[in-house]
Amino acid sequence: MRTAIIVTTALLLTACSADPGSEAWCTAKKEQPKSEWSADDAKTYARHCVLESQTIGSEAWCEDLEETPKGDWTASEAADYAKHCVM
């Protein structure tokens, strides 16, 4: 019973977290002290949050991806597009 509660709690917390590089994630990181960031957080922030056109799910990101031939999309880009630009 205890294990089930722990697993359920972990799944719920994971489901509520924003995708790294998304607008919600960038906003949350901007408010978090940089001393609490991991090296991966800093790398993702620099890659996706500094320029809006790189922020996953932003209007500019969606438009840029739409201009790219779908055959050149990565699986991750296709999933992010479906999640952030279509829905």
Side-chain angles (χ1 to χ4, degrees):
M1 181 70 169
R2 177 189 246 177
T3 304
I5 292 171
I6 292 171
V7 170
T8 302
T9 302
L11 289 173
L12 289 173
L13 291 175
T14 303
C16 295
S17 64
D19 294 332
S22 68
E23 290 180 90
W25 185 88
C26 291
T27 301
K29 282 296 169 191
K30 194 178 288 186
E31 295 172 1
Q32 183 182 31
K34 289 182 176 51
S35 61
E36 295 178 8
W37 291 14
S38 69
D40 284 337
D41 289 342
K43 181 180 172 183
T44 302
Y45 188 88
R47 184 173 182 199
H48 294 288
C49 304
V50 175
L51 299 174
E52 182 193 358
S53 65
Q54 298 300 314
T55 303
I56 296 171
S58 69
E59 188 174 321
W61 183 86
C62 293
E63 289 172 0
D64 286 347
L65 198 57
E66 287 169 359
E67 294 173 3
T68 304
K70 288 184 173 57
D72 294 342
W73 292 11
T74 65
S76 177
E77 287 173 332
D80 288 336
Y81 182 85
K83 183 174 183 179
H84 298 286
C85 304
V86 176
M87 296 183 171

